[in-house]
Amino acid sequence: QTIQMKRSTQKQQVVEALRAYLIKAKYPTRMANTIANAVDELIMNSIFAAPTDTTGRRVYDQTPRDTDIQLEGKAQIDVSIAFDGIQVGICATDQYGSIDKEKVLRHLSTVYKDEQYKMKMSVAGAGIGLATTFRGGGSLLFLCEKNSRTEVCVIFERLAHSFLAFFEIARG
């Protein structure tokens, strides 16, 4: 299923619908919350970090995150979800293709469980979405066509299924 977001103010509604869907699909509430938080960050990045002008300057970098922005044409955000009964994949797609590969690699190479790494909650682009996904046992997939589109997907396995499978194997 794909949702085409038309306004930035739809984000909360999309995230809450996803959270409710995951709980209905038997994801533990805590895991559903973790996934919803990661997707919230992906959507926020698509809305506020991805848009760039012709010089590559981030258009909404300093814009308050509760600003109502119309998402039409190139600014449209698509959020897709796929669920096979065991794993869920959620993708946020923007039409800018402006993801900074070096910045992503810096965040990916950070040891998020290390005490010396502290996320700066007040700083946009602080890697909160990456940290949330890794801490929750999820996977990330980045697809970018420079200056055209970026798609970032998170994939999470339903832990209850994993535990049940483990116990069935352990019982023989």
Side-chain angles (χ1 to χ4, degrees):
Q1 180 179 358
T2 300
I3 299 165
Q4 294 180 335
M5 294 181 59
K6 301 294 184 184
R7 303 196 77 77
S8 61
T9 52
Q10 289 178 293
K11 178 197 62 80
Q12 194 61 36
Q13 183 182 1
V14 170
V15 170
E16 289 308 318
L18 170 67
R19 184 185 330 268
Y21 175 82
L22 292 169
I23 291 170
K24 187 176 179 180
K26 307 284 189 238
Y27 273 80
T29 302
R30 188 172 184 170
M31 187 171 199
N33 290 338
T34 297
I35 296 168
N37 289 339
V39 171
D40 185 294
E41 288 297 322
L42 293 182
I43 294 171
M44 292 294 271
N45 288 340
S46 292
I47 294 170
F48 293 98
T52 54
D53 63 17
T54 55
T55 66
R57 186 185 66 84
R58 303 227 178 259
V59 177
Y60 298 120
D61 206 27
Q62 300 301 314
T63 303
R65 297 312 192 230
D66 60 353
T67 302
D68 184 12
I69 299 171
Q70 199 162 1
L71 305 173
E72 293 181 332
K74 189 170 182 148
Q76 180 179 307
I77 306 298
D78 293 335
V79 179
S80 304
I81 182 171
F83 179 56
D84 67 2
I86 298 170
Q87 292 182 324
V88 66
I90 303 110
C91 300
T93 305
D94 67 67
Q95 305 305 312
Y96 288 95
S98 62
I99 196 165
D100 183 337
K101 180 181 174 182
E102 295 306 316
K103 189 174 186 177
V104 170
L105 290 174
R106 268 194 314 275
H107 286 304
L108 289 173
S109 65
T110 302
V111 180
Y112 286 102
K113 293 182 181 193
D114 200 4
E115 265 312 298
Q116 58 190 323
Y117 178 74
K118 303 288 184 205
M119 291 182 288
K120 297 174 188 92
M121 301 300 270
S122 62
V123 178
I128 296 165
L130 292 175
T132 300
T133 301
F134 287 134
R135 286 183 179 158
S139 299
L140 284 161
L141 178 64
F142 296 85
L143 304 158
C144 184
E145 297 171 31
K146 189 158 179 66
N147 299 319
S148 179
R149 79 189 281 269
T150 301
E151 185 172 10
V152 181
C153 304
V154 292
I155 302 165
F156 286 88
E157 187 169 334
R158 190 173 61 200
L159 291 179
H161 172 80
S162 298
F163 292 134
L164 290 175
F166 172 77
F167 288 121
E168 287 176 20
I169 291 169
R171 280 190 283 172

